[in-house]
Amino acid sequence: MATDSIDTETVQHKTFVRSVEWLCKVDSTNSYAIRTIAESEQFPLLVGANVQTNGRGRGGNQWWGSAGSLAFSLVLIPSDSGINQQQWPLMSLAVGLSIGEGLAPYVGNSPIQLKWPNDVFADGKKVAGILIETIPTNPELVVIGIGINVNNSFTDAPADIQGTASSVKDLTGETTSLEDILVSTLQSLEQTLKRLGIADTEFLDDWRQRCFLTGRQIGVDDSQRQTFGTCLGIDDDGALRLMTASGLQRFFAGTVTSIEE
Ligand code: BTN
């Protein structure tokens, strides 16, 4: 099978996904899922696209997914996995861990690490991003948007981008089946969501082992101010721990804007 094509029946057969819509081209799989959700009744619903013309990232950023990258959104009902509203902040970490674990077998010896709250890094560069959104008219649903750099390459990108982003192809020199990576990440996601649903917070220890920030000097922007300090990892409630000049601070939301080696 061609490495860049997705057989939706296979994906449905091998994973917990109950319905699939795979599009040739769309503005954003998250936006499409949010717009059309009423038409679908079978969850989890997978919406994917070969090309996104207006992929969206966290904080209103654009997500540049060139040919060969994997872009999809999973719409699900967290309570189906036993996940309650209080656990939603942990769900963000659970999704990042799942993508990391799903990708790990495909990146050779490159260490997979996680940048709070849910960026996935390999060899110190971002290889996947996650945008989780809710739908005001269907508050029981979440839309988990995932972009993974697979067969696209950053070798011809400007130096500043080459220093921060990478892909499976750049890491291994090989082309990998998008379908294999999709199935692997969905299978991993099903398991991690189940662990969260039975309040098995041991998955947080797996997350901590892959934390990219622990021990580093970082800046966190919580949309009010930027705070600098040494990252002490995450708490059991998913908060990021930062030792600042004025003591320990905890963050439940925000963006890590600077990381010193
Ligand atoms: C980020 O790192 O800022 C998050 C990027 C999320 C990108 C994915 S690609 C599939 C889905 N559709 C979107 O428009 N965004 C997410």
Side-chain angles (χ1 to χ4, degrees):
M1 174 187 316
T3 51
D4 278 2
S5 68
I6 303 287
D7 179 28
T8 54
E9 274 183 29
T10 305
V11 174
Q12 215 165 315
H13 179 67
K14 290 188 174 173
T15 72
F16 71 143
V17 158
R18 285 295 141 259
S19 48
V20 183
E21 195 168 352
W22 204 272
L23 307 158
C24 289
K25 200 185 210 182
V26 73
D27 52 349
S28 144
T29 55
N30 268 33
S31 303
Y32 179 87
I34 291 168
R35 277 198 306 270
T36 60
I37 202 65
E39 292 159 27
S40 170
E41 285 158 18
Q42 297 259 298
F43 299 109
L45 158 72
L46 174 69
V47 176
N50 296 339
V51 177
Q52 285 190 125
T53 53
N54 192 20
R56 297 187 288 108
R58 292 182 71 233
N61 294 323
Q62 249 188 320
W63 175 258
W64 299 102
S66 46
S69 64
L70 187 58
F72 61 95
S73 303
L74 191 66
V75 187
L76 53 81
I77 305 172
S79 59
D80 281 354
S81 309
I83 299 168
N84 60 43
Q85 288 269 350
Q86 287 75 40
Q87 292 171 305
W88 283 30
L90 290 179
M91 196 164 54
S92 170
L93 300 182
V95 174
L97 177 66
S98 306
I99 309 309
E101 291 186 338
L103 259 182
Y106 298 95
V107 293
N109 294 327
S110 304
I112 292 272
Q113 290 183 293
L114 303 167
K115 178 187 156 215
W116 182 92
N118 54 22
D119 284 342
V120 182
F121 277 46
D123 256 354
K125 296 178 185 178
K126 182 163 168 170
V127 287
I130 298 159
L131 177 66
I132 301 183
E133 298 184 296
T134 50
I135 309 172
T137 48
N138 298 67
E140 77 283 6
L141 295 174
V142 287
V143 180
I144 302 172
I146 297 171
I148 306 177
N149 297 322
V150 183
N151 296 324
N152 50 325
S153 173
F154 292 89
T155 49
D156 294 329
D160 55 330
I161 295 180
Q162 271 191 48
T164 57
S166 190
S167 69
V168 174
K169 187 168 189 185
D170 288 343
L171 293 162
T172 63
E174 286 168 16
T175 301
T176 306
S177 154
L178 293 184
E179 185 180 294
D180 286 353
I181 290 191
L182 176 64
V183 167
S184 176
T185 54
L186 289 172
Q187 288 175 341
S188 169
L189 189 58
E190 179 185 10
Q191 294 313 317
T192 319
L193 292 178
K194 267 191 194 153
R195 288 172 82 183
L196 180 57
I198 58 168
D200 169 11
T201 47
E202 274 177 24
F203 83 87
L204 290 169
D205 291 333
D206 298 342
W207 202 101
R208 289 181 180 109
Q209 283 184 10
R210 293 189 185 272
C211 183
F212 182 65
L213 302 176
T214 300
R216 293 180 194 254
Q217 299 296 314
I218 63 170
V220 181
D221 186 343
D222 67 356
S223 79
Q224 299 201 323
R225 65 186 68 80
Q226 204 173 19
T227 312
F228 294 92
T230 307
C231 178
L232 302 182
I234 54 164
D235 274 332
D236 279 354
D237 55 8
L240 185 77
R241 293 160 57 82
L242 194 67
M243 184 53 78
T244 71
S246 56
L248 181 69
Q249 290 196 32
R250 283 161 32 87
F251 294 86
F252 287 95
T255 304
V256 175
T257 46
S258 71
I259 308 172
E260 280 175 26
E261 291 303 313

